[in-house]
Amino acid sequence: MFADTDAIRALGSADSAQAADLAAIAATLASVPVASAANTLGPVGARFLSALAEAAADGARAVATLSEHVSVSGATTRAAAGAYDDADHDLGTRIAGV
């Protein structure tokens, strides 16, 4: 059995970094200050900004969910690398005992 556990761990770390980036994007989308300007643009502008605010909020929720999934993927990937290492160690111990 061969598994490049360093590469697997690197993937897990990359997932964690990407999850952090996605969380930052979600926070930025959630803080788009469009609703406060609605009254100054009249009824058409207000409807547009309301739709924009709703779309930004929907996007923020979707990106936050994606961030959570990518974060879990990173943790799972690192756990898999550890499981490969454990299996390799256990197999080595068993073979040495034979």
Side-chain angles (χ1 to χ4, degrees):
M1 173 176 75
F2 176 76
D4 188 346
T5 55
D6 289 337
I8 294 169
R9 281 188 183 82
L11 175 62
S13 294
D15 281 349
S16 295
Q18 185 178 31
D21 290 345
L22 289 167
I25 291 167
T28 300
L29 282 171
S31 66
V32 172
V34 293
S36 62
N39 293 334
T40 61
L41 298 177
V44 173
R47 285 192 303 272
F48 170 78
L49 288 178
S50 176
L52 180 60
E54 186 177 329
D58 289 346
R61 284 188 294 276
V63 173
T65 299
L66 181 59
S67 174
E68 291 171 17
H69 288 287
V70 172
S71 180
V72 168
S73 174
T76 301
T77 301
R78 286 188 300 279
Y84 275 120
D85 285 339
D86 291 346
D88 185 51
H89 176 73
D90 291 347
L91 183 60
T93 301
R94 289 180 184 177
I95 290 173
V98 172

